[in-house]
Every structure is written in structure tokens, then in C-alpha cells.
């Protein structure tokens, strides 16, 4: 089931229609963006919301890329271990 929610980011309200199970994730994401915007504004003396949002987007995209790369490396390591185990099993016969 879907519902209407209002998400505030950088002082603006965004009305959205989301599935019930997605609302919490969406609110957490908006909160994280707000935290980054605030951090950039306070720590780097950024006064323009657009600049703070751009830096927040860059930070979040960087985190996502790191997670994707880590996931890919873990998958490769798992596949390598499976191959080693498979070789051990097939050579023992």
C-alpha cells in the first residue's frame, strides 16, 4: 500500500508517494542528507544550500561507490574460496 509523505531537505518540502515499507528508509535518507548539509555548512563555512547539497551528494555517492567496491571484492573472494574448495573436492576422487 502507498501513502503520501512530506520529506524536508535543505529547507524545502518534497511531497512524495511511497510504499509503506519504504517510508522509514526514505526518512532516514533525508535525515542523513540534512546531517551532511549541516556539516558542510558549519565545518566548511558554506552559505549556499546548493553547494552544501552538491557536496552532500558527492559524499553519499562516494560512500555508495565504496560499498559497491567492497561488495565486489567480497564476492570475488568468496568465488575464489569456492573454486579452491571445488578443486579440493574434485581432485580427491
Amino acid at each position: 500500500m502507498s501513502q503520501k509523505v512530506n520529506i524536508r531537505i535543505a529547507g524545502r518540502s518534497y511531497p512524495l508517494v511511497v510504499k509503506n515499507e519504504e517510508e522509514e528508509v526514505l526518512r532516514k535518507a533525508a535525515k542523513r542528507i540534512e546531517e551532511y548539509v549541516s556539516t558542510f555548512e558549519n565545518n566548511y563555512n558554506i552559505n549556499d544550500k546548493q553547494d552544501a547539497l552538491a557536496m552532500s551528494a558527492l559524499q553519499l555517492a562516494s560512500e555508495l561507490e565504496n560499498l559497491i567496491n567492497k561488495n565486489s571484492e567480497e564476492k570475488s573472494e568468496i568465488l575464489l574460496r569456492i573454486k579452491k574448495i571445488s578443486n579440493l573436492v574434485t581432485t580427491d576422487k
Side-chain angles (χ1 to χ4, degrees), residues 35-93:
E35 289 169 355
Y36 276 123
V37 167
S38 179
T39 297
F40 284 113
E41 287 176 336
N42 295 328
N43 294 346
Y44 299 99
N45 199 26
I46 295 174
N47 296 320
D48 185 353
K49 288 282 187 200
Q50 184 68 33
D51 290 341
L53 284 167
M55 294 304 296
S56 299
L58 181 61
Q59 181 68 36
L60 289 166
S62 175
E63 290 176 12
L64 178 60
E65 284 299 319
N66 285 332
L67 286 173
I68 290 169
N69 290 339
K70 182 179 177 183
N71 191 16
S72 179
E73 290 170 8
E74 288 174 353
K75 283 181 183 177
S76 295
E77 179 65 27
I78 290 169
L79 289 173
L80 181 62
R81 288 180 183 183
I82 290 171
K83 186 175 181 180
K84 285 180 181 180
I85 291 170
S86 177
N87 287 340
L88 287 172
V89 171
T90 57
T91 55
D92 283 346
K93 288 184 176 181

Side-chain angles (χ1 to χ4, degrees), residues 1-63:
M1 180 166 266
S2 296
Q3 63 180 345
K4 291 181 182 181
V5 296
N6 281 313
I7 301 296
R8 289 192 60 81
I9 299 174
R12 290 190 181 181
S13 183
Y14 297 92
L16 303 169
V17 177
V18 299
K19 293 179 182 175
N20 290 343
E21 62 270 14
E22 295 174 347
E23 181 185 5
E24 183 178 352
V25 172
L26 189 64
R27 290 195 186 279
K28 285 181 180 180
K31 182 178 179 184
R32 181 174 292 222
I33 293 168
E34 283 291 323
E35 289 169 355
Y36 276 123
V37 167
S38 179
T39 297
F40 284 113
E41 287 176 336
N42 295 328
N43 294 346
Y44 299 99
N45 199 26
I46 295 174
N47 296 320
D48 185 353
K49 288 282 187 200
Q50 184 68 33
D51 290 341
L53 284 167
M55 294 304 296
S56 299
L58 181 61
Q59 181 68 36
L60 289 166
S62 175
E63 290 176 12

